[in-house]
Amino acid sequence: MRDKIPYDLAVRYSQYVDNCEFERFREIMLPSFTQEGPGFASDSLEEFIVNLGLLENYSATFHLVGQQIGNWNGDQYVGETWGIASHIYERDDEVRKLDMGIRYSDMIDLID
């Protein structure tokens, strides 16, 4: 059962982003959540939720969760998740799709 947790969280993450249900991240993330990548960073869950507003520039997104690898050490999981994030937008009266290969370094702490 524990081995299913990282995948379930990745799928929920994708669902919340694709449905623009950004406030739902409070259900699965701690206020101390951080995220960092090329050209962006969020130092807290609050900042992360605000930053997700950038996705409103797209008419739709679709995140496909790919493979995962990691290990549990007590109540902490450290691993990686790979996937593809597709972003649909219009430019010059033409519908376009931007696909991004993404790789997340995950750290999950089980809490009571």
Side-chain angles (χ1 to χ4, degrees), residues 61-105:
T61 64
F62 177 78
H63 288 71
L64 177 66
V65 177
Q67 66 271 21
Q68 288 183 312
I69 190 166
N71 293 299
W72 286 97
N73 184 8
D75 285 342
Q76 187 176 72
Y77 170 89
V78 177
E80 293 185 325
T81 301
W82 292 266
I84 298 172
S86 298
H87 301 78
I88 309 301
Y89 65 99
E90 287 188 34
R91 182 183 294 161
D92 301 326
D93 294 324
E94 202 173 279
V95 176
R96 298 178 183 209
K97 181 174 79 162
L98 170 66
D99 285 333
M100 299 168 42
I102 53 177
R103 180 176 162 187
Y104 293 102
S105 295

Side-chain angles (χ1 to χ4, degrees), residues 40-51:
F40 68 91
S42 300
D43 294 326
S44 68
L45 178 57
E46 292 298 323
E47 188 175 359
F48 172 70
I49 291 171
V50 169
N51 289 346

Side-chain angles (χ1 to χ4, degrees), residues 22-40:
F22 307 141
E23 290 296 320
R24 293 199 65 192
F25 282 103
R26 297 178 199 290
E27 298 172 19
I28 62 170
M29 295 178 176
L30 295 171
S32 59
F33 170 83
T34 62
Q35 185 181 56
E36 184 178 336
F40 68 91

